[in-house]
């Protein structure tokens, strides 16, 4: 049986099965799953002869901001450890948006965060080094910002350096949802995925977003910074090496030391 096209008159044109065609262009090879923001499919792009991941967002009214955020972030960042985005579209019938991106063939790091299925320590550390390399490209230039901040505190900063510091503080992106489920282990290294709550470093504010268990205790009190992603990276490393979350009840707080 050949692929079955989905048109505007179908009962729910935002849910697809194997062999159906999304938006008249992308035959579904596999239903990969998904979460609250939408469903993900493995599809084939006939024009460019490549396998892709296609994410159909759950809510047509709410997804435009998410897809803009994810697409714009990934368009700016080209890094071997960050998933690439290829394009987007809107489904006839439901009006729901979708994002077409690189197909990442691998396992979520969640698979390797239990005591009975840990990676060798060397592989766990390499996965985190890949993540840190991706974040270095994603984040503002924190080393230069700190250097300029110290000069400002000492009263030695020039007007040009002050302008540079302000500019650097607004550049770059924050992922804001680093966790094992958004990190894929592949044959060629780690891939960071799911950027739909990423934000410009200078516009992140004090918004409480992310996943409990991987958020700094002061999220919502202090503005978002690269520290939030780096704290989550530390939690991920701890889980990969020990098989346990570092905090009781998976709730980071300022009072308890990691276990």
């Amino acid at each position: 049986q050949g692929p079955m096209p989905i048109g505007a008159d179908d009962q729910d044109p935002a849910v697809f099965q194997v062999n159906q065609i999304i938006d008249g262009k992308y035959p579904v090879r596999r239903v990969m799953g998904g979460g609250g923001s939408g469903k993900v499919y493995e599809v084939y792009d006939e024009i460019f002869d490549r396998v892709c991941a296609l994410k159909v967002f759950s809510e047509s009214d709410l997804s435009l901001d998410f897809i803009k955020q994810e697409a714009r972030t990934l368009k700016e960042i080209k890094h071997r450890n960050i998933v690439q985005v290829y394009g987007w579209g809107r489904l006839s019938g439901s009006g729901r948006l979708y994002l077409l991106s690189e197909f990442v063939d691998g396992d979520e790091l969640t698979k390797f965060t239990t005591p009975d299925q840990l990676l060798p320590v060397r592989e766990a550390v390499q996965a985190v080094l890949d993540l840190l390399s991706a974040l270095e490209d994603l984040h503002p230039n924190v080393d230069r910002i700190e250097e300029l901040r110290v000069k400002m505190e000492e009263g030695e900063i020039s007007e040009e350096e002050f302008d540079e510091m302000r500019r650097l503080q607004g550049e770059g992106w924050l992922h804001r949802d680093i966790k094992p489920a958004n990190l894929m282990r592949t044959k060629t290294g780690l891939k960071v995925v799911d950027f739909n709550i990423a934000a410009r470093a200078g516009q992140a504010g004090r918004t409480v977003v992310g996943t409990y268990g991987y958020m700094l205790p002061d999220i919502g009190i202090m503005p978002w910074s690269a520290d939030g992603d780096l704290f989550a990276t530390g939690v991920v490393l701890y889980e990969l090496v020990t098989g346990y979350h570092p905090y009781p009840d998976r709730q980071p707080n300022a009072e308890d030391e990691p276990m």
Side-chain angles (χ1 to χ4, degrees):
Q1 184 178 359
M4 297 173 288
I6 295 295
D9 297 329
D10 291 280
Q11 184 175 3
D12 189 348
V15 177
F16 302 91
Q17 304 299 326
V18 174
N19 287 332
Q20 291 181 332
I21 299 178
I22 299 178
D23 200 21
K25 295 178 283 188
Y26 305 112
V28 176
R29 290 188 167 187
R30 179 160 56 107
V31 181
M32 298 172 64
S37 62
K39 291 186 178 296
V40 182
Y41 304 90
E42 177 187 335
V43 302
Y44 177 63
D45 184 340
E46 296 176 314
I47 297 297
F48 291 98
D49 187 27
R50 63 189 175 191
V51 177
C52 304
L54 190 151
K55 180 175 182 178
V56 179
F57 287 79
S58 299
E59 299 293 336
S60 57
D61 293 337
L62 301 178
S63 58
L64 184 57
D65 287 341
F66 283 113
I67 199 169
K68 282 181 178 178
Q69 198 69 61
E70 189 157 2
R72 289 173 179 175
T73 307
L74 295 173
K75 183 179 179 181
E76 289 190 17
I77 304 297
K78 302 296 182 185
H79 190 280
R80 68 182 185 87
N81 298 117
I82 295 178
V83 65
Q84 294 183 51
V85 66
Y86 298 142
W88 68 280
R90 188 185 295 274
L91 299 177
S92 62
S94 70
R96 294 181 185 178
L97 293 159
Y98 67 82
L99 187 69
L100 188 71
S101 63
E102 173 188 5
F103 175 70
V104 180
D105 187 10
D107 297 307
E108 290 182 4
L109 282 193
T110 309
K111 180 178 178 180
F112 309 104
T113 57
T114 59
D116 59 343
Q117 202 167 357
L118 295 177
L119 293 170
V121 173
R122 182 184 297 273
E123 293 183 26
V125 170
Q126 184 58 55
V128 172
L129 289 175
D130 285 348
L131 172 56
L132 289 172
S133 176
L135 292 177
E136 184 177 14
D137 264 26
L138 192 69
H139 285 165
N141 188 341
V142 291
D143 290 338
R144 178 58 176 163
I145 291 172
E146 178 62 16
E147 178 185 334
L148 293 170
R149 186 190 65 78
V150 170
K151 293 187 72 173
M152 182 177 67
E153 290 183 349
E154 294 174 349
E156 298 177 356
I157 193 169
S158 68
E159 184 176 345
E160 291 78 12
E161 288 174 327
F162 180 78
D163 290 341
E164 179 189 359
M165 183 178 70
R166 294 290 299 274
R167 175 179 57 79
L168 290 174
Q169 288 173 333
E171 290 182 348
W173 293 85
L174 307 175
H175 186 280
R176 303 202 296 178
D177 202 16
I178 295 296
K179 59 183 178 182
N182 287 337
L183 304 170
M184 302 291 293
R185 181 175 180 257
T186 76
K187 293 179 180 179
T188 58
L190 188 82
K191 288 281 186 180
V192 185
V193 301
D194 200 339
F195 283 74
N196 60 33
I197 60 172
R200 278 281 189 192
Q203 301 170 359
R206 292 177 170 82
T207 307
V208 179
V209 294
T211 300
Y212 287 106
Y214 300 91
M215 297 163 59
L216 274 169
D218 61 4
I219 290 297
I221 301 172
M222 300 296 293
W224 265 94
S225 71
D227 292 346
D229 286 346
L230 296 176
F231 176 83
T233 298
V235 175
V236 171
L237 176 60
Y238 191 102
E239 289 184 294
L240 290 175
V241 172
T242 69
Y244 298 97
H245 193 278
Y247 289 92
D249 302 318
R250 300 180 63 84
Q251 294 299 315
N253 61 78
E255 285 75 35
D256 293 330
E257 293 290 333
M259 293 187 296

